[in-house]
């Protein structure tokens, strides 16, 4: 378990419901709180609502009812509020979503210049610093098609970090990678966790969860079945559904 000082709540999710047009209830009265500097790992079977939870947090999916508040700002239909929240919440997906016609450096600089209105010089300095942080500063002039999957995902992480977010969301960031590339991405995520970045990670990497998480959430059918510290969750789960899930994957 990762022991560190956590701050006040930065995200409050209260009784959120989300049903898709096909009738699938992705989230059902979903409530949780995320504290500053906390690393929350979300696990559960496929289709349990994990990714929908992340996408609702930054408004990529509309909620049907309930309330989401990010750092005092309600995620409502006010466009200014939504823009503020998205600026402060970085997200890394399974797919890398890099622009193939741009170099690594250009990919990371783009949003800084367009959204943060950074100068070219400042954006370049920030980008170079982050490329060194994720360990691929030698790929600055490469194009995405010239990189491995693990390298592309590290560029995607650097791009999200370049916006200086208060929270990072990781939606199964390693699931599309070959096994030998997973470790290099997890190492970057572990570094962020140690540095105090607030993180919510949907992942199947249970070793990562045990090593760095402050809190583990187990979801099924759009609900939180159980939550707890990594030590408690993996060694002494309370719910039968949690025990069954862990018995199948551990």
């Amino acid at each position: 378990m990762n022991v560190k000082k956590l701050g006040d709540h930065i995200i409050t999710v209260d009784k959120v419901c989300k049903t898709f047009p096909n009738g699938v209830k992705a989230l059902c009265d979903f409530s949780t709180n995320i504290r500053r500097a906390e690393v929350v790992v979300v696990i559960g079977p496929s289709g349990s609502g994990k990714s929908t939870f992340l996408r609702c947090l930054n408004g990529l999916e509309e909620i049907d009812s309930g309330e989401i508040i990010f750092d005092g700002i309600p995620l409502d239909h006010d466009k200014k509020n939504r823009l503020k929240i998205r600026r402060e919440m970085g997200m890394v997906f399974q797919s890398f979503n890099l622009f193939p016609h741009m170099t690594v450096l250009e990919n990371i600089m783009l949003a800084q210049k367009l959204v943060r209105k950074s100068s070219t010089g400042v954006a370049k300095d920030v980008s170079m610093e982050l490329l060194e942080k994720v360990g691929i500063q030698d790929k600055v002039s490469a194009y995405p098609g010239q990189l491995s999957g693990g390298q592309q995902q590290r560029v995607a992480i650097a791009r999200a970090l370049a916006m200086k977010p208060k929270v990072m969301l990781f939606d199964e960031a390693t699931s599309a990678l070959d096994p030998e590339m997973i470790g290099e991405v997890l190492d970057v995520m572990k570094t962020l966790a140690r540095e105090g970045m607030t993180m919510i990670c949907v992942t199947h990497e249970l070793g990562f969860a045990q090593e760095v998480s402050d809190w583990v959430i187990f979801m099924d059918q759009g609900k939180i079945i159980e939550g707890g510290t990594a030590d408690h969750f993996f060694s002494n789960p309370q719910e039968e559904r949690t025990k069954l899930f862990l018995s199948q994957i551990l």
Side-chain angles (χ1 to χ4, degrees), residues 62-77:
E62 297 289 341
I63 63 174
D64 300 325
S65 60
E67 186 177 47
I68 296 174
I69 298 176
F70 174 80
D71 204 16
I73 303 171
L75 179 62
D76 51 24
H77 293 291

Side-chain angles (χ1 to χ4, degrees), residues 162-179:
M163 300 301 290
K164 295 180 170 57
K166 294 179 180 177
V167 175
M168 284 287 288
L169 310 178
F170 292 89
D171 188 8
E172 299 192 25
T174 61
S175 65
L177 302 178
D178 292 333

Side-chain angles (χ1 to χ4, degrees), residues 23 43 49 58 78 86 119 203 220 222:
I43 66 173
N58 65 1
D78 187 316
R86 284 179 176 162
S119 68
T203 183
D220 194 19

